[in-house]
Amino acid sequence: MFIGGKMRIAVIGSGYVGLVSAACFAEIGHKVISVDNDADKIAHLERGEVPIHEQHLPELIKRHHRKRLHFSTVIADAVRASEAIFITVGTPPSETGEADLSFVEAVASQIASAIDGRKVIIEKSTVPVRTCESLRKTLLLNGAPPDSFFVASNPEFLREGTAVLDFLYPDRIVAGVDDAFSSSLLQKIYAPLTSGSYYCGKNAVAGPDGCALKARLILTNAKSAELIKHASNAFLAMKISFINAVANISEAVGADVTEVCAGVGSDQRVGPRFLNPGIGYGGSCFPKDVRAFHTVATQCGCDFSLLTEVMKINEEQRRRFLQKVRSAVWTLRGKKLAVLGLAFKGGTDDVRESPAIAIIEALTKEGARIIAYDPVAMAKAKGQLAASQVTFASDPYEAATDCDALLILTEWKEFAELDLPRIRGLLKFPIIVDGRNLYEPNRVADAGLVYYSIGRAVAVPLAISSAVRVHPESPLDLVAAMAIRRQAVTAA
Ligand code: UGA
């Protein structure tokens, strides 16, 4: 049916998923039109300005723009020019926890009126099970001739920050199809990855070590594909909440959660990935998708209360971190705290549902002043945080200067490589509270800093622990820190 040659693809919605998918479809040889109704965004893209921080994306857009990749604000033109139309618009949470599908519906009605030949409409946005059915109905209601289109589901599994590599080197590609035409079309679209031919090209983006040389395509029906997406994200969120709960037990009994993770994760049935404890998951996907999947389950008459617990533990994790900060510095009113990290995770400028933002808001509510730094997310964070309580520094060291403590809230690689003795010299009191376990505790203590992390004992410099009896949960640490600060000042 589709033998040889490039496919003509429209990608409707130029957010994270849409833009990455459009650039990657062009990269694997197809002719792509990326559409968005935000004229400003399209104008930026036309000028070669990429609106999101995503590794490899600028180079791919530069490589293919005006050749295999075009931008447009007009859905109808893109639909007429394409045989495959991917819908990648947002599905934000509604008040009730369900995914709000109004953008998908609006796009579908515009697609319907532009259909002029046989098309496959493919949902790529994260949507609840049965959305394909609603999509089909909406297309029919809006005048699409019944024999002119098929609908399919092709969920994405891209992580922000590594989205391009996730697309080009996927663990699996899921194609949810209910007819042979869509099946053949999706197999053809992904053939450069499933045959491995893309990876042989001399300009192919280099993949992560150890990745397979041919991508695996899993063909399912549309409903199964929709469920795979929600179930995958819910499972990963559960893995994070699970390990966070284990971290809390580790702390309570004096075990070390890093050792526990290494032991548990080395069982191949569990695996070591997504077992990093911290301040809870955030971002535009997990919080929304776990809520939406729970709502779907309830609507189907299934009591999926496990997901309620996953969400509860996630919330609790932020509260526990705040308690850790209080136990490190005692009261918060008037305290000046350095915060490293604003993005919901390292490698992205995205601050949507970022635990860092939530924690900063809670700290400022209690009267703390925040000096924040993030390598790329400060511009976006400024839109969310009140300027009266948060100021922004130009690097981690400026942020730390004269602060009562330093908090690490995002797992940026550069935060794991700080000059700790320098940080110690800049802080008013030598205290680090790390919500991402970036350091080996003894290393921080050896640099003269009291180090609080997640699921591990507080690490205290020898000079302090021998001078003062330090109880991990008591504000005595502060007294100890003052003592060491005095020593440092006297020595200087
Ligand atoms: C997630 C999934 O990983 C992707 O497969 C999926 O395609 C995407 O959602 C989506 O549905 O669009 P993403 O939200 O970009 O990707 O970020 P993750 O890397 O999954 O991290 C999510 C959150 O979990 C972050 O706040 C991160 O800090 C936290 N996390 C992750 C942990 O606390 N511990 C871990 O071990 C891993």
Side-chain angles (χ1 to χ4, degrees), residues 213-224:
L213 290 176
K214 286 183 183 177
R216 181 168 169 228
L217 184 115
I218 300 175
L219 278 173
T220 67
N221 67 35
K223 282 183 195 146
S224 299

Side-chain angles (χ1 to χ4, degrees), residues 377-391:
M378 290 198 287
K380 290 196 174 155
K382 277 175 192 166
Q384 299 212 359
L385 293 165
S388 55
Q389 280 146 326
V390 181
T391 49

Side-chain angles (χ1 to χ4, degrees), residues 156-158 160 229 233 276 282 285 344-345 411 436:
E156 55 77 24
F157 302 100
L158 315 176
E160 290 185 20
K229 172 66 191 190
N233 273 6
N276 301 316
C285 304
F344 80 96
K345 65 171 188 176
E411 64 272 44
R436 299 292 192 165

Side-chain angles (χ1 to χ4, degrees), residues 17 126 156-161 229 233 236 240 244 273-286 289 344-346 355 411 436:
V17 174
T126 304
E156 55 77 24
F157 302 100
L158 315 176
R159 289 162 301 169
E160 290 185 20
K229 172 66 191 190
N233 273 6
L236 291 168
I240 297 168
N244 279 333
R273 293 169 71 191
F274 270 68
L275 271 188
N276 301 316
I279 48 178
Y281 59 79
S284 63
C285 304
F286 284 177
D289 291 352
F344 80 96
K345 65 171 188 176
E411 64 272 44
R436 299 292 192 165

Side-chain angles (χ1 to χ4, degrees), residues 167-248:
F167 188 101
L168 295 172
Y169 294 87
D171 286 346
R172 79 303 204 186
I173 297 159
V174 174
V177 290
D178 295 330
D179 63 275
F181 190 85
S182 307
S183 169
S184 169
L185 176 132
L186 277 162
Q187 289 183 64
K188 173 84 179 129
I189 287 176
Y190 286 106
L193 303 180
T194 53
S195 70
S197 65
Y198 170 72
Y199 309 117
C200 304
K202 64 177 186 331
N203 291 325
V205 175
D209 288 343
C211 59
L213 290 176
K214 286 183 183 177
R216 181 168 169 228
L217 184 115
I218 300 175
L219 278 173
T220 67
N221 67 35
K223 282 183 195 146
S224 299
E226 290 168 335
L227 264 187
I228 287 171
K229 172 66 191 190
H230 260 166
S232 297
N233 273 6
F235 188 88
L236 291 168
M238 179 187 72
K239 210 171 171 189
I240 297 168
S241 279
F242 184 88
I243 208 62
N244 279 333
V246 172
N248 299 338

